[in-house]
Amino acid sequence: MTANRTFSIIKPDATRRNLTGAIVKMFEDGGLRVVASKRIHMTRAQAEGFYAVHKERPFYGELVEFMMSEPVVVQVLEGENAVLRNREIMGATNPEDADVGTVRKTHALSIGENSVHGSDSDENAAIEIAFFFTEDEIVG
């Protein structure tokens, strides 16, 4: 099996609590390698564009505001079965349902402030990576 890539965001609730290093360590210990990373303060255009798929959902406005509230760390992770592996390391969206040892069980504050985002498919990973990174910025 060959390595592939996925996209990850360390969300505002985690960066506010200075958990970036701890979360990256969990990804790395889980077999993923960071091949691109940048800390940004998401603009409204970025937050609205990235989450446009949720535009008609009742939580969209709150999600956009949350993602703009503090810096985030956007990153490209690489490894065997990267999308699936990242999702296993992150844990269930609701931290109450997440397995012990996952990012969300360990660090999330709530279902809304769940510390991380990860792509849900290889196709979405490619789209999400291209939203924040140029090929020149991925240096794995």
Side-chain angles (χ1 to χ4, degrees), residues 58-136:
F59 60 81
Y60 175 73
E62 185 178 328
L63 177 60
V64 167
E65 293 300 322
F66 170 63
M67 293 304 291
M68 295 170 28
S69 68
E70 303 272 346
V72 299
V73 176
V74 293
Q75 51 193 357
V76 181
L77 306 174
E78 186 175 81
E80 298 293 327
N81 238 346
V83 170
L84 178 61
R85 187 68 195 119
N86 183 39
R87 296 189 72 73
E88 291 169 348
I89 294 166
M90 287 189 312
T93 302
N94 184 342
E96 292 181 13
D97 299 332
D99 291 338
V100 172
T102 62
V103 173
R104 289 176 172 150
K105 187 63 149 190
T106 304
H107 297 297
L109 298 173
S110 67
I111 194 168
E113 290 184 308
N114 62 17
S115 299
V116 286
H117 161 87
S119 302
D120 62 2
S121 68
D122 288 331
E123 297 77 21
N124 283 338
I127 292 166
E128 292 176 345
I129 290 168
F131 191 90
F132 286 103
F133 292 94
T134 66
E135 279 299 316
D136 292 345

Side-chain angles (χ1 to χ4, degrees), residues 1-63:
M1 189 175 285
T2 60
N4 60 353
R5 294 177 175 162
T6 192
F7 178 75
S8 171
I9 300 176
I10 300 175
K11 293 182 177 180
D13 62 290
T15 63
R16 178 179 66 243
R17 293 178 291 138
N18 203 30
L19 296 173
T20 301
I23 292 171
V24 169
K25 182 172 181 1
M26 292 175 85
F27 291 139
E28 291 177 336
D29 288 350
L32 297 173
R33 187 165 66 112
V34 178
V35 295
S37 180
K38 53 187 167 183
R39 184 178 181 96
I40 64 169
H41 207 131
M42 222 182 260
T43 65
R44 179 168 300 281
Q46 286 173 318
E48 288 177 347
F50 188 78
Y51 288 105
V53 66
H54 298 301
K55 190 169 185 140
E56 301 305 317
R57 305 196 75 180
F59 60 81
Y60 175 73
E62 185 178 328
L63 177 60

